[in-house]
Amino acid sequence: MSDAIYKTDALIAEDIDAYLEQHQHKTMLRFITCGSVDDGKSTLIGRLLYDSKMIFEDQLDALTNDSKKVGTQGGEIDFALLVDGLAAEREQGITIDVAYRFFNTEKRKFIVADCPGHEQYTRNMVTGASTADLAVVMIDARKGVLVQTRRHSYICNLIGIKNIVLAVNKMDLVDYSQEVFDKIVADYAKFAEEIGIESFTAMPISGFKGDNITVAPSENTPWYEGPSLIEHLETVEVLSAQDAEKPFRMPVQWVNRPNLDFRGFSGQIATGAVKPGDAVRVLPSGKTSHVRSIVTYNGDVDEAVAGQSVTLTLTDEIDCSRGNVIAVADNPPEVADQFEATVVWMDDEALLPGRGYWLKLGSQTVSAAVAEPKYEVNVNTMEHLAAKTLALNSIGVAEVTTDKPLVFESYADSRQLGGFILIDKVTNATVAAGMLHFSLRRSQNVHWQAVDITREEHAKLKNQAPKVLWFTGLSGSGKSTIANEVEKRLNLMNRHTFLLDGDNIRHGLNKDLGFTDADRVENIRRVGEVAKLMTDAGLIVLTAFISPFRAERQMVRDLLPEGEFLEVFVDTPLEVAEQRDVKGLYKKAREGKLKNFTGIDSPYEAPENAEIRVNTVEMSPQEAAAYIIDRIMPLK
Amino acid sequence: MTSLTHLERLEAESIHIMREVAAEADKPVMLYSIGKDSAVMLHLAKKAFYPSPPPFPLLHVDTTWKFKAMYELREKAAQEAGMELLVYQNPEAQQRGINPFQHGPLHTDMWKTEGLKQALDKYGFDVAFGGARRDEEKSRAKERVMSFRTSTHGWDPKNQRPELWNLYNARKKKGEGIRCFPISNWTELDIWQYIMKEQIEIVPLYFAEERPTYEYEGGLFMADDLERLEEAMGTLPEITMRSIRFRTLGCFPLTGAVESTANTLADVVQETLLTTTSERQGRVIDKDGGDASMEKKKQEGYF
């Protein structure tokens, strides 16, 4: 074990002030360990904690007891037990989630993300890697470079980790053979070059015995000339140091407005540095100003750098709010609404191309759709495969389109302005992580043309308030019949209306679409856009589509001004609709002659908070129509 | 330009997290337990929103069994931060006279777990900041910064949202909540060092002093309120004056003291670093229910 670690200890006892002074100036390195269950990853972390004295006596007692009870090291201390936290994991002996561990040495503080290695936990690994400065890729010396080694290395490289340590573990089980080590390193170097890893540091270790962990070379590996793992971790350059060299960008998180005399913009500096007097540009508006002051609780400061959370005031009263990015004036980031990106899918429910998801990047949240992937990457072989969608733990490259322009940089230039997450609009789950490559179209090229006759004026002329009455329900529930009845009544009341009917639209505008989930999404998106144009023209629009997915109905709702979208749930139980079977479709679907039929082999997600619900078992179409009219009046 | 120090990085991260919540939550609140971690969290909040006061109130879920010195600091700290202080005591626990001596684990369950749920529901808070740290305990090492809770305040460790980069997903349905832990990545040593660097006021009980003590079930405790002690235990235990301090603060009958003479911050840090037992060991709460005890409590809604 290293002298350095005990020297720290001695200083604590002898001169606490000197120790604290030294500790206060330590930098921090975040790293991830990747490897599979048997590679000894948790053992290594347990060892690091143990060697840097981060284990207390009571924990050690518990560990010693546990090791005897459930340990896998024949009664010797099983460090893995210290690290595998959740009860389920302890029982199964595997690491499921990402766990964060902390330890200090004389030079640095460390945060370790301990990640599971199995393929089904790719998302956990991506998560742990996203905040890491360095990755330790573990290899079992007895097994050499395996499929999982390739997968872990590929992911680390994808997430942009430049410092990769190849830790060839369990050297004690191969008699500390240099030959074995050299062969593994040669194999790995070949593969690393193939996938674009520029450099890596290889070291022979034993997490269990402690070789080359704190001092190198260990007695058992006199032939090893490199640093020990700890020495290496103490000296590599951290990511934030590189970020400070880049052009200044700060996403605005929060506008600080304690009174009328103060207006500050709070955020964490993503890259670069800023000083009072610097010329800055606010994106996406492009307005320019100068930094007046950098305000902190401890007083105004002369400079702030990447990684710091600050509040800036500007010399001009310009529009700037959450989601905007303040950047150096002469070298601002790009603004676009269509991108190529790598997407890592993290949810049990697969990607639905075309569906609207919330995309969060920096402090910006917009609605975004992912197209059918260009390809999916086989994470074991790095082959590109054709793909229609991305399932849990798949990684692919696809086009991403946002409904509003996004201030961004390529992920290779900035993790903060190039990395994003996707959030399901209905479940609110984080379903994917992504990394932007480049923009496909500068949004500046497609402008909104200002028109003089506004939607308000269109509506005023028609003497009505535009609405969309969105009828949703199973096939045969009575949507078209009831919508038709409602339109007839509105017509008699001199209302200007238009009925968009599912079957009719599929004969024209949407005749290129089928009935797969992805086509259903596109079908509704187009209808939503048409309905929106019609409300812009002042019309009351009625739509009759099965529209089985909550997310797409929500997408249309989000397209329209608050209160203009009224969801009408035509609630007919499946048995009743099937019994009616006006078009004979249920029969065909049951016979297997019709695929993807809603209610049979394709899901229907009933509305949870529809504005209007009609029960067609209890009401006739006329009664239902009258009921709906009652609910929507006066329409002015 | 030199790199940020670890404390600067931790501070910036915590501030970033608090601002995200302030921007995205409907009605956030900061849980304030008056301990050293709460003191640091409150200090970070002041820094995050300066020159505005933090845009949320403080909430103390009280058990009525805290140390007197804690109640004194509570009022002062809130006032100095310019924040509203809400104190909630579970009326049912109050009425049934739940106490740590006669009711064991029920004391924590009723006053803290239930009390917290009731308080969040009563005021309609959707995001609650807590001062938990990942280095405290094994199951906390895997807790997210934004930890999603169901409408019944449950936590499902197998179904947590992935957290990447510095992007936090604070979206939720009406009725659901989020517990947010802005000092997740701080260690006990970081907390002490930051208190020292920023000169943050903490409860004097963290520093050694001659105090009245008694022994109970093998632990050393402070006789903070003789009257209530006698009432709850039936008889007054033997009281001895000893120089003691606390590494962690909770309900006085549940928080073990350590014999110590460390009466400055530097001495306390020194003692902390040289000590051979972990921080939570002085607390009774982790031990009932065996190894997975804290994880179980969290699933039930304890912080």
Side-chain angles (χ1 to χ4, degrees):
Chain A
M1 267 173 250
S2 162
D3 292 342
I5 281 140
Y6 288 112
K7 221 159 62 203
T8 304
D9 245 7
L11 200 55
I12 294 170
E14 284 159 17
D15 188 349
I16 184 67
D17 294 322
Y19 172 80
L20 288 171
E21 175 65 17
Q22 179 196 58
H23 185 69
Q24 191 169 318
H25 294 98
K26 283 177 192 172
T27 53
M28 181 160 89
L29 182 88
R30 299 188 68 146
F31 70 96
I32 170 184
T33 52
C34 18
S36 288
V37 188
D38 307 328
D39 295 337
K41 187 168 47 77
S42 295
T43 305
L44 175 68
I45 295 173
R47 160 71 64 181
L48 290 173
L49 300 181
Y50 181 77
D51 281 359
S52 56
K53 293 254 181 177
M54 296 307 284
I55 299 175
F56 292 108
E57 219 166 68
D58 56 327
Q59 290 174 325
L60 198 59
D61 284 349
L63 179 66
T64 313
N65 284 333
D66 284 0
S67 297
K68 287 185 191 133
K69 237 175 3 193
V70 285
T72 56
Q73 302 296 340
E76 285 198 66
I77 290 183
D78 185 351
F79 293 108
L81 292 179
L82 197 67
V83 182
D84 289 343
L86 298 179
E89 294 175 347
R90 307 196 74 175
E91 283 156 21
Q92 295 162 27
I94 51 165
T95 317
I96 299 171
D97 211 315
V98 186
Y100 297 90
R101 307 283 159 190
F102 308 84
F103 68 98
N104 299 295
T105 66
E106 200 179 23
K107 298 202 177 73
R108 267 192 177 155
K109 171 185 165 141
F110 297 95
I111 301 183
V112 195
D114 178 17
C115 298
H118 284 168
E119 190 169 347
Q120 66 264 39
Y121 301 124
T122 294
R123 66 168 164 178
N124 307 63
M125 217 195 113
V126 170
T127 302
S130 73
T131 49
D133 300 290
L134 175 145
V136 178
V137 176
M138 309 270 304
I139 285 190
D140 184 333
R142 295 170 301 174
K143 296 176 185 161
V145 177
L146 298 178
V147 163
Q148 71 211 31
T149 317
R150 295 164 159 266
R151 183 172 70 240
H152 299 155
S153 306
Y154 169 74
I155 292 170
C156 290
N157 192 48
L158 182 77
I159 300 297
I161 298 177
K162 299 287 177 223
N163 295 305
I164 290 182
V165 173
L166 183 71
V168 182
N169 194 22
K170 302 196 182 180
M171 285 301 289
D172 52 315
L173 300 181
V174 294
D175 298 327
Y176 298 99
S177 159
Q178 183 178 5
E179 203 181 320
V180 170
F181 176 73
D182 287 347
K183 173 155 188 321
I184 290 173
V185 174
D187 285 352
Y188 188 79
K190 190 160 159 278
F191 158 73
E193 200 189 329
E194 278 168 28
I195 65 164
I197 293 176
E198 286 161 18
S199 66
F200 66 92
T201 308
M203 46 188 78
I205 62 162
S206 168
F208 183 49
K209 302 278 186 195
D211 296 281
N212 296 325
I213 302 294
T214 54
V215 272
S218 85
E219 283 170 19
N220 297 314
T221 58
W223 46 267
Y224 174 62
E225 290 172 351
S228 72
L229 180 59
I230 289 283
E231 284 164 359
H232 184 67
L233 295 176
E234 281 179 334
T235 48
V236 295
E237 192 185 26
V238 300
L239 194 74
S240 59
Q242 298 161 22
D243 280 342
E245 307 297 320
K246 296 172 183 169
F248 171 69
R249 280 105 178 73
M250 186 187 90
V252 175
Q253 276 186 285
W254 193 73
V255 178
N256 196 334
R257 195 117 219 227
N259 54 59
L260 290 175
D261 302 325
F262 186 92
R263 187 155 162 263
F265 305 101
S266 300
Q268 187 172 20
I269 299 174
T271 54
V274 66
K275 291 189 173 78
D278 282 358
V280 290
R281 189 180 293 272
V282 176
L283 280 301
S285 74
K287 297 257 167 52
T288 56
S289 183
H290 289 84
V291 175
R292 182 200 295 278
S293 59
I294 306 169
V295 180
T296 78
Y297 182 79
N298 304 82
D300 290 3
V301 295
D302 298 333
E303 190 188 25
V305 295
Q308 286 181 303
S309 287
V310 293
T311 297
L312 304 181
T313 62
L314 304 180
T315 53
D316 306 273
E317 281 269 329
I318 55 174
D319 266 354
C320 184
S321 55
R322 177 171 169 85
N324 291 168
V325 175
I326 303 178
V328 58
D330 58 6
N331 184 9
E334 259 188 88
V335 178
D337 62 3
Q338 205 174 57
F339 313 88
E340 185 188 274
T342 297
V343 176
V344 183
W345 202 257
M346 300 188 157
D347 198 52
D348 290 326
E349 198 182 322
L351 160 74
L352 199 42
R355 166 170 288 183
Y357 296 95
W358 295 119
L359 180 153
K360 187 169 182 188
L361 180 148
S363 55
Q364 306 169 83
T365 302
V366 298
S367 186
V370 182
E372 223 170 68
K374 290 181 177 159
Y375 57 85
E376 179 185 336
V377 179
N378 177 325
V379 290
N380 295 320
T381 62
M382 317 311 139
E383 278 175 302
H384 293 182
L385 311 168
K388 293 266 178 211
T389 177
L390 295 171
L392 177 65
N393 291 314
S394 321
I395 300 176
V397 169
E399 255 177 50
V400 174
T401 309
T402 60
D403 70 337
K404 285 193 205 102
L406 205 58
V407 185
F408 85 103
E409 290 195 284
S410 85
Y411 184 79
D413 291 334
S414 167
R415 285 192 192 190
Q416 292 86 347
L417 284 178
F420 64 87
I421 55 171
L422 295 178
I423 299 167
D424 187 287
K425 288 188 177 182
V426 175
T427 65
N428 291 320
T430 302
V431 293
M435 288 145 281
L436 297 177
H437 302 170
F438 45 79
S439 65
L440 293 165
R441 180 184 73 198
R442 281 167 195 267
S443 59
Q444 288 93 325
N445 296 344
V446 187
H447 293 280
W448 283 100
Q449 185 64 45
V451 289
D452 289 332
I453 307 299
T454 62
R455 67 193 320 273
E456 288 75 23
E457 278 159 291
H458 284 296
K460 207 169 142 198
L461 193 67
K462 296 185 178 64
N463 193 25
Q464 64 184 23
K467 292 273 181 246
V468 171
L469 293 177
W470 190 277
F471 291 78
T472 173
L474 293 169
S475 173
S477 60
K479 296 181 298 296
S480 296
T481 313
I482 298 170
N484 190 48
E485 192 62 33
V486 172
E487 193 183 26
K488 268 166 41 191
R489 291 171 190 234
L490 289 172
N491 202 263
L492 285 173
M493 295 153 80
N494 289 323
R495 300 287 188 238
H496 300 262
T497 60
F498 197 87
L499 173 60
L500 294 167
D501 184 85
D503 288 348
N504 297 353
I505 297 283
R506 280 188 178 274
H507 285 299
L509 177 64
N510 289 354
K511 72 174 172 193
D512 56 328
L513 299 177
F515 289 89
T516 62
D517 284 356
D519 279 0
R520 284 178 189 276
V521 171
E522 176 61 12
N523 183 39
I524 298 306
R525 188 193 70 80
R526 290 187 198 172
V527 172
E529 291 287 354
V530 171
K532 178 173 183 290
L533 289 173
M534 288 182 164
T535 56
D536 283 348
L539 294 176
I540 294 162
V541 185
L542 302 94
T543 69
F545 294 82
I546 298 172
S547 46
F549 304 128
R550 268 177 220 131
E552 279 63 58
R553 298 192 299 263
Q554 184 65 40
M555 169 178 79
V556 181
R557 187 186 288 271
D558 293 339
L559 280 176
L560 294 160
E562 180 94 30
E564 221 161 87
F565 180 91
L566 302 174
E567 195 168 13
V568 182
F569 179 27
V570 183
D571 191 2
T572 305
L574 180 63
E575 314 84 70
V576 178
E578 188 166 356
Q579 212 171 13
R580 290 180 193 158
D581 206 5
V582 194
K583 300 169 196 162
L585 298 176
Y586 281 98
K587 186 161 174 283
K588 277 194 201 164
R590 287 288 183 202
E591 288 165 355
K593 291 179 191 155
L594 199 56
K595 291 279 170 214
N596 301 321
F597 194 77
T598 302
I600 308 296
D601 58 347
S602 184
Y604 178 76
E605 298 169 2
E608 282 169 340
N609 296 302
E611 277 80 3
I612 302 169
R613 179 179 157 273
V614 289
N615 183 328
T616 65
V617 180
E618 290 162 10
M619 291 183 201
S620 70
Q622 290 71 23
E623 283 167 345
Y627 176 77
I628 293 166
I629 296 278
D630 260 5
R631 305 295 294 269
I632 61 174
M633 291 313 283
L635 288 176
K636 276 184 187 174
Chain B
M1 185 69 214
T2 51
S3 306
L4 301 184
T5 67
H6 71 284
L7 282 179
E8 287 169 334
R9 266 179 90 170
L10 289 170
E11 179 188 77
E13 178 185 71
S14 301
I15 289 176
H16 171 82
I17 293 164
M18 288 183 184
R19 288 171 175 172
E20 281 300 288
V21 169
E24 297 209 341
D26 292 327
K27 200 175 175 191
V29 66
M30 178 167 281
L31 299 181
Y32 179 65
S33 71
I34 329 171
K36 64 184 194 312
D37 300 318
S38 276
V40 165
M41 186 165 66
L42 174 59
H43 184 77
L44 288 164
K46 290 196 247 177
K47 289 189 116 174
F49 302 101
Y50 177 85
S52 297
F56 37 77
L58 291 171
L59 171 65
H60 180 221
V61 178
D62 191 16
T63 64
T64 72
W65 287 94
K66 303 291 172 190
F67 294 90
K68 283 178 193 158
M70 294 172 73
Y71 291 118
E72 282 159 25
L73 182 66
R74 180 179 76 185
E75 313 297 324
K76 191 178 167 203
Q79 200 169 24
E80 279 176 10
M83 295 164 80
E84 185 189 359
L85 171 70
L86 303 168
V87 176
Y88 187 85
Q89 298 169 345
N90 178 356
E92 198 195 337
Q94 183 96 298
Q95 199 194 343
R96 288 172 57 184
I98 301 294
N99 69 67
F101 297 101
Q102 286 152 337
H103 302 105
L106 190 64
H107 171 77
T108 302
D109 182 58
M110 291 281 288
W111 282 112
K112 295 176 83 174
T113 311
E114 283 306 314
L116 173 62
K117 290 183 195 173
Q118 288 172 4
L120 295 179
D121 289 343
K122 177 185 169 189
Y123 294 103
F125 293 124
D126 62 336
V127 181
F129 290 108
R133 308 188 320 264
R134 283 171 175 158
D135 77 326
E136 279 178 87
E137 199 265 342
K138 259 184 289 193
S139 87
R140 287 210 160 139
K142 309 203 169 188
E143 179 89 57
R144 298 293 188 265
V145 170
M146 299 261 185
S147 187
F148 181 78
R149 301 299 158 102
T150 62
S151 53
T152 52
H153 303 280
W155 181 64
D156 178 3
K158 287 192 193 125
N159 195 16
Q160 301 194 80
R161 294 173 177 177
E163 269 173 3
L164 295 105
W165 300 291
N166 61 354
L167 296 175
Y168 302 99
N169 173 2
R171 289 188 171 266
K172 62 206 167 319
K173 289 182 189 158
K174 223 175 161 47
E176 294 170 340
I178 287 174
R179 308 281 166 90
C180 174
F181 304 106
I183 57 168
S184 284
N185 285 329
W186 296 58
T187 61
E188 187 182 9
L189 177 57
D190 298 331
I191 293 287
W192 282 117
Q193 194 142 34
Y194 193 70
I195 287 170
M196 218 160 143
K197 176 172 171 278
E198 301 280 312
Q199 301 181 333
I200 300 168
E201 185 173 2
I202 52 172
V203 182
L205 295 167
Y206 286 112
F207 303 106
E209 201 182 299
E210 287 281 320
R211 295 186 170 101
T213 66
Y214 64 95
E215 286 174 40
Y216 183 71
E217 290 187 351
L220 181 63
F221 297 91
M222 175 177 163
D224 193 51
D225 187 332
L226 291 178
E227 212 172 295
R228 294 193 71 187
L229 208 55
E230 187 172 13
E231 195 185 315
M233 295 176 88
T235 158
L236 212 51
E238 193 184 329
I239 309 282
T240 331
M241 292 300 284
R242 288 189 178 93
S243 178
I244 55 160
R245 66 175 196 89
F246 294 86
R247 297 184 60 194
T248 169
L249 292 177
C251 295
F252 74 82
L254 286 176
T255 311
V258 288
E259 289 201 69
S260 163
T261 53
N263 57 8
T264 65
L265 265 174
D267 288 348
V268 168
V269 175
Q270 185 174 37
E271 205 173 82
T272 304
L273 289 173
L274 294 177
T275 193
T276 52
T277 52
S278 69
E279 191 182 6
R280 293 197 73 90
Q281 205 216 11
R283 291 208 189 175
V284 186
I285 181 172
D286 287 359
K287 290 184 190 153
D288 42 72
D291 201 29
S293 144
M294 179 62 84
E295 190 180 337
K296 197 166 147 276
K297 285 210 156 48
K298 273 174 32 180
Q299 287 176 15
E300 291 160 2
Y302 178 70
F303 221 78

